[in-house]
Amino acid sequence: MTTAPPRDLVAPVRLAYEGTLLKSRMKIHRKERTIVLSQKTRLWFRAAVCLWATIVVMTPFMIYSEWFLSTTTRFTCDRGTGICSVDGRSGNVPRLADIGRAEMDRDFNRRDGVNWGVNLVTRDGKKYALDEQRAIDDRVVADYRTSVKAINAYLANPAQSSLDTSFTYRASLGEKIQSLVYFVFGVFSLLIACALWTSAAYIVDGERVTVVTRWMFQRTTQEIAVSRIRRVVDRQESDGRSLQLQVDDAERITIATAGRARMLELGALAAELA
């Protein structure tokens, strides 16, 4: 038999005694003549939603950077001191005497496709990446290649005392469109997650049954007078048990379900409520 609420009531949330993947186990609180049945989303899910919301909120700033800003990397060397630096920092940069050559580093991944970077290769074969962001746009790749040629020309010419070259990263059109797609997906998935962030409670006392349903940004409260409740139904199901309320002459409202392992506990709760 299908269940539907009376016309003046919004369909309440069903509580699952054992809990689900997203819902914690149903809790039962007893105080004097009041019984409270409650259930909410699990802590890990709420934490994940908060983390994802933080990422989505930050995404517009990343999109702005992708669309309107550029990143320039400056590489300098001084043959007198033997020191090379990237953007004025020489801490992790190989010394000039240890650098064998510069080369373009080709890579491929499913997200960006073919992308390029700039590597320094030391005389013992180790690689040091100069780029902060890998190039995809053809004009940016050409700029990277120009700097690689300038570095190799400097290394091959001992008479050249210093080197000062730079290359600039700018996002390609594909990267810009991709950032917007990710943002739309992030907002859409966040809205779905917020809709799943719910909690529900049935507060049963001697006068009424109060149904409280909370979403992330919304709360609804309904009251069912005890005089309207014809009976509490403990219904046997094929896969367990359900606890239902017969309100007026309408169909039954299912407020809680339990699998086979918790059938007896739900049955005892039904008797207590009755």
Side-chain angles (χ1 to χ4, degrees):
M1 181 179 68
T2 59
T3 61
R7 293 182 178 179
D8 61 332
L9 296 176
V10 178
V13 176
R14 296 185 182 185
L15 309 183
Y17 199 103
E18 300 92 337
T20 62
L21 176 63
L22 299 182
K23 300 287 186 179
S24 59
R25 181 178 173 178
M26 184 180 78
K27 294 182 179 180
I28 305 174
H29 301 279
R30 298 174 176 86
K31 184 177 181 180
E32 298 178 355
R33 290 177 56 81
T34 302
I35 300 176
V36 180
L37 313 178
S38 63
Q39 189 172 42
K40 60 184 179 181
T41 49
R42 295 186 183 275
L43 178 61
W44 70 263
F45 179 78
R46 286 177 281 155
V49 172
C50 291
L51 177 61
W52 187 239
T54 302
I55 295 174
V56 172
V57 169
M58 294 174 58
T59 302
F61 299 97
M62 299 169 62
I63 291 176
Y64 177 84
S65 175
E66 196 96 43
W67 277 71
F68 303 107
L69 302 182
S70 61
T71 303
T72 298
T73 301
R74 182 185 181 192
F75 180 68
T76 59
C77 284
D78 186 279
R79 205 174 290 277
T81 60
I83 296 176
C84 296
S85 62
V86 176
D87 296 331
R89 300 184 299 270
S90 59
N92 297 322
V93 183
R95 292 184 63 84
L96 178 58
D98 297 328
I99 300 173
R101 69 182 186 279
E103 65 178 16
M104 292 292 290
D105 177 43
R106 183 184 186 277
D107 193 16
F108 176 86
N109 58 57
R110 292 184 178 180
R111 174 184 171 180
D112 300 322
V114 177
N115 54 87
W116 297 85
V118 177
N119 283 347
L120 295 179
V121 182
T122 59
R123 299 188 185 280
D124 58 2
K126 295 180 180 180
K127 295 183 179 181
Y128 176 87
L130 291 182
D131 56 278
E132 291 186 14
Q133 292 175 291
R134 301 183 66 84
I136 297 176
D137 185 85
D138 290 342
R139 291 171 297 178
V140 178
V141 173
D143 191 28
Y144 281 32
R145 290 189 187 279
T146 299
S147 284
V148 168
K149 292 178 180 178
I151 295 171
N152 286 329
Y154 172 73
L155 294 174
N157 183 12
Q160 185 177 346
S161 60
S162 63
L163 169 70
D164 189 342
T165 185
S166 62
F167 50 91
T168 300
Y169 166 83
R170 292 181 180 85
S172 65
L173 178 60
E175 291 176 279
K176 294 177 180 180
I177 295 174
Q178 190 178 69
S179 65
L180 289 177
V181 171
Y182 286 155
F183 177 64
V184 172
F185 170 78
V187 171
F188 182 72
S189 60
L190 181 61
L191 292 175
I192 294 177
C194 290
L196 295 174
W197 182 323
T198 61
S199 65
Y202 292 85
I203 306 169
V204 184
D205 56 34
E207 298 180 355
R208 66 186 65 83
V209 175
T210 304
V211 185
V212 180
T213 307
R214 293 185 181 91
W215 288 268
M216 196 169 186
F217 303 108
Q218 184 181 1
R219 167 180 167 148
T220 62
T221 301
Q222 303 176 82
E223 292 186 354
I224 307 172
V226 169
S227 60
R228 296 182 60 188
I229 301 176
R230 299 291 181 254
R231 60 181 177 137
V232 177
V233 181
D234 177 15
R235 180 179 175 81
Q236 196 86 12
E237 306 284 355
S238 60
D239 56 349
R241 212 167 195 156
S242 65
L243 175 60
Q244 303 173 345
L245 297 180
Q246 178 78 49
V247 180
D248 299 330
D249 295 325
E251 297 185 36
R252 300 168 186 170
I253 300 174
T254 300
I255 65 175
T257 60
R260 295 183 180 277
R262 300 292 181 180
M263 287 177 60
L264 296 179
E265 296 176 38
L266 192 64
L269 176 61
E272 185 178 0
L273 292 177

